[in-house]
Amino acid sequence: MASKTFVPAFEAKVGNWTYYSCLMSYAQVAREISFAHELGGNRDLGTMIQRGVGNRTEDITEYLLTNENRFLGALIVAVWGGHPDYLPLTMDEDAANQAVLEGIDRNFGVLTFDGTHQFFALDGQHRLKAIKDAVKRDPELGSEDITVIVVPHFNTPEGRQRTRRLFTNINRNAKSTSAGENIALDEDDSFAILTRRLLDEDSFLSQTNVVIVFTKVGKDDGELRLASRQVSATSPAWTSIPVLYDIVKEIGFDLPCAAGRSAQRAADEILDQSYLVLAKRMQELLDACGNLRRRYTDAAAPKDVRAPKGRDGAGHPFMRPIVQVQVARAVRHFLEQETLEWPDLMKRLADLDWRMSAAPFSSCWIETPDGPKQGKMATAKENGQLLYELLLVHIAPRSKAQITRAVRSYSDLMKTKYPVPVDELLEALPAEDD
């Protein structure tokens, strides 16, 4: 005879659904709950009731095994074949506890898992697989708990249609956190933590309007909208928080907090060490890139540093997110390849012509018929990649082939000749390659 598992649960109703909210241990979940395909529910399009399990469960498993702050949201579980075995209970109230217990037992009862019903994850199958894998590797995790919401499922055409509708409604109406929200809230991502600290403590980045964090703060409706990667041409900001985070990840790839990164928060001492290095790098990068800090601070209207009226082409490239990200990528490339040390790299960046219409930044700039100093940004993915390749050959090219390839790519994409002759770029080659 199969053993029985009794789970306390509340019966609830919403719309035309009756469901049960209960608490189960990871061990119970791993033992009692299956995947739909194991029960015959995902064999073809006619019977399919949920998407399959992808390959992103390993990160969740590591999170459960390594992060002491681990927490998973509720699983939604369907009962194959109908309603679960639910027994309502009432509490025996004595006079002394009547006021405390009154109403507590409303719709309270017990679900029975005894092998006569089969349960499968309708929403949360990736979490379910991670729990099963984590409990196998560390059985002590089996004592930890998760909320489980149980709904009935009938294996008929009408029942499958009803279950599919519930699955799509859950996932269609669920809203994932944005990149900006993750940066603002994540307490385990070292780079998110360091990005927020720069915004709090750095003498330049902490100034009002230098970095856009929020695009809307609702006083009445409570709406809070975090910035995207775009910064308008008329904005006074240098950049936005998601772009700053990208820069931090690139120039901080070798920080102490990045070593052996896992889902576990780095120690405060490691974060402090990393911040000191990062803050210095940020200041030096901003100064090397066309003396950005001083030009921004000295400007009567910082937005004019980006696009001076009537002279857009003379605007500062490092006021543009696409340039900021590609410069940071190039910096990481040279450091990772050990081509240049940091001081030499900053000097070579400073030697570039920091005007938007000048090479190599012209790969992201399209002149308009209004005049040579007028134009618009080209922010397509291929323009960003081209800028990255041109930065490499302007700063420290490896070979003649690399130079000619980058120059040819410019001509193909921009439909014009590259403004810097190949012979001039060849002068930057090491003597033995030249």
Side-chain angles (χ1 to χ4, degrees):
M1 181 178 178
S3 61
K4 293 185 177 182
T5 300
F6 300 101
V7 177
F10 284 94
E11 184 182 56
K13 298 181 184 296
V14 61
N16 58 5
W17 285 94
T18 297
Y19 68 96
Y20 305 88
S21 179
C22 60
L23 191 68
M24 297 181 70
S25 70
Y26 283 173
Q28 291 172 331
V29 166
R31 182 174 64 249
E32 304 289 352
I33 300 175
S34 304
F35 301 101
H37 68 85
E38 295 177 320
L39 307 179
N42 274 9
R43 291 178 181 170
D44 54 54
L45 284 177
T47 62
M48 186 173 178
I49 52 179
Q50 66 171 177
R51 64 188 172 201
V53 178
N55 58 359
R56 48 193 188 90
T57 61
E58 185 176 339
D59 288 343
I60 307 175
T61 303
E62 290 302 317
Y63 168 73
L64 292 175
L65 290 168
T66 63
N67 197 319
E68 62 182 12
N69 295 307
R70 56 188 169 269
F71 185 90
L72 292 181
L75 302 176
I76 299 181
V77 170
V79 187
W80 190 269
H83 290 281
D85 187 355
Y86 173 76
L87 175 66
L89 299 176
T90 58
M91 296 183 182
D92 187 10
E93 303 173 4
D94 57 32
N97 294 323
Q98 185 172 3
V100 175
L101 297 176
E102 186 175 0
I104 293 295
D105 59 352
R106 173 182 172 270
N107 296 344
F108 177 69
V110 171
L111 286 176
T112 302
F113 293 77
D114 61 0
T116 60
H117 289 81
Q118 293 178 299
F119 297 79
F120 66 93
L122 180 63
D123 181 67
Q125 59 268 34
H126 293 92
R127 280 165 280 159
L128 172 61
K129 186 174 189 310
I131 289 171
K132 288 177 177 284
D133 292 343
V135 169
K136 286 180 183 177
R137 291 168 58 180
D138 182 4
E140 290 188 6
L141 281 176
S143 63
E144 301 195 355
D145 299 313
I146 187 170
T147 298
V148 176
I149 296 172
V150 180
V151 298
H153 166 74
F154 295 90
N155 191 29
T156 63
E158 295 79 10
R160 289 192 294 273
Q161 182 185 74
R162 179 174 165 83
T163 301
R164 278 196 296 266
R165 180 177 290 117
L166 175 60
F167 173 78
T168 54
N169 286 344
I170 291 167
N171 287 279
R172 182 186 299 119
N173 296 317
K175 189 177 187 320
S176 300
T177 53
S178 66
E181 288 167 336
N182 290 336
I183 298 164
L185 300 172
D186 201 314
E187 286 294 343
D188 295 310
D189 182 344
S190 296
F191 293 129
I193 296 168
L194 294 177
T195 299
R196 296 196 298 267
R197 187 166 172 181
L198 283 172
L199 292 174
D200 286 338
E201 300 180 15
D202 184 83
S203 59
F204 175 69
L205 300 176
S206 63
Q207 294 178 35
T208 303
N209 292 332
V210 171
V211 179
I212 303 173
V213 177
F214 302 106
T215 55
K216 181 177 181 180
V217 179
K219 294 181 179 179
D220 298 324
D221 58 9
E223 183 178 359
L224 195 65
R225 190 178 303 161
L226 280 104
S228 67
R229 285 180 166 79
Q230 284 72 44
V231 178
S232 72
T234 59
S235 172
W238 168 62
T239 195
S240 67
I241 185 171
V243 178
L244 177 59
Y245 173 78
D246 290 344
I247 296 170
V248 167
K249 285 199 302 181
E250 296 292 356
I251 70 171
F253 74 97
D254 58 346
L255 294 175
C257 67
R261 291 187 67 205
S262 68
Q264 186 72 36
R265 179 189 174 103
D268 289 344
E269 181 182 355
I270 298 297
L271 289 171
D272 289 341
Q273 293 172 3
S274 300
Y275 178 77
L276 293 175
V277 177
L278 177 66
K280 186 172 184 293
R281 285 184 181 178
M282 277 300 307
Q283 292 174 1
E284 293 175 350
L285 178 66
L286 288 164
D287 292 342
C289 293
N291 212 0
L292 189 282
R293 282 197 303 172
R294 183 184 60 77
R295 288 188 58 183
Y296 181 97
T297 304
D298 291 349
K303 66 180 181 179
D304 292 337
V305 179
R306 176 183 293 108
K309 188 174 182 180
R311 299 184 299 112
D312 292 1
H316 202 306
F318 211 57
M319 289 287 289
R320 305 284 187 170
I322 189 171
V323 176
Q324 295 159 2
V325 171
Q326 301 309 324
V327 167
R329 283 184 64 202
V331 166
R332 175 173 182 165
H333 170 83
F334 290 120
L335 295 177
E336 212 164 22
Q337 298 297 316
E338 298 183 348
T339 307
L340 295 169
E341 297 292 334
W342 180 268
D344 291 335
L345 179 51
M346 293 301 102
K347 184 179 183 304
R348 297 198 188 191
L349 276 174
D351 290 339
L352 295 176
D353 186 349
W354 287 93
R355 292 177 297 130
M356 196 63 240
S357 60
F361 310 110
S362 57
S363 56
C364 297
W365 179 255
I366 300 175
E367 291 187 353
T368 60
D370 300 328
K373 295 181 180 179
Q374 297 299 301
K376 61 181 181 179
M377 292 297 296
T379 57
K381 183 177 180 181
E382 54 265 32
N383 292 92
Q385 179 62 25
L386 176 58
L387 173 57
Y388 170 71
E389 293 170 5
L390 289 168
L391 282 166
L392 299 187
V393 301
H394 271 266
I395 295 171
R398 297 189 313 270
S399 65
K400 181 178 179 179
Q402 182 191 21
I403 294 172
T404 55
R405 185 168 56 248
V407 170
R408 189 182 305 115
S409 296
Y410 181 93
S411 299
D412 292 343
L413 181 63
M414 306 303 291
K415 308 304 180 188
T416 187
K417 186 178 180 181
Y418 193 56
V420 179
V422 170
D423 288 345
E424 185 176 325
L425 295 172
L426 289 173
E427 293 175 3
L429 282 173
E432 61 271 19
D433 292 333
D434 193 14

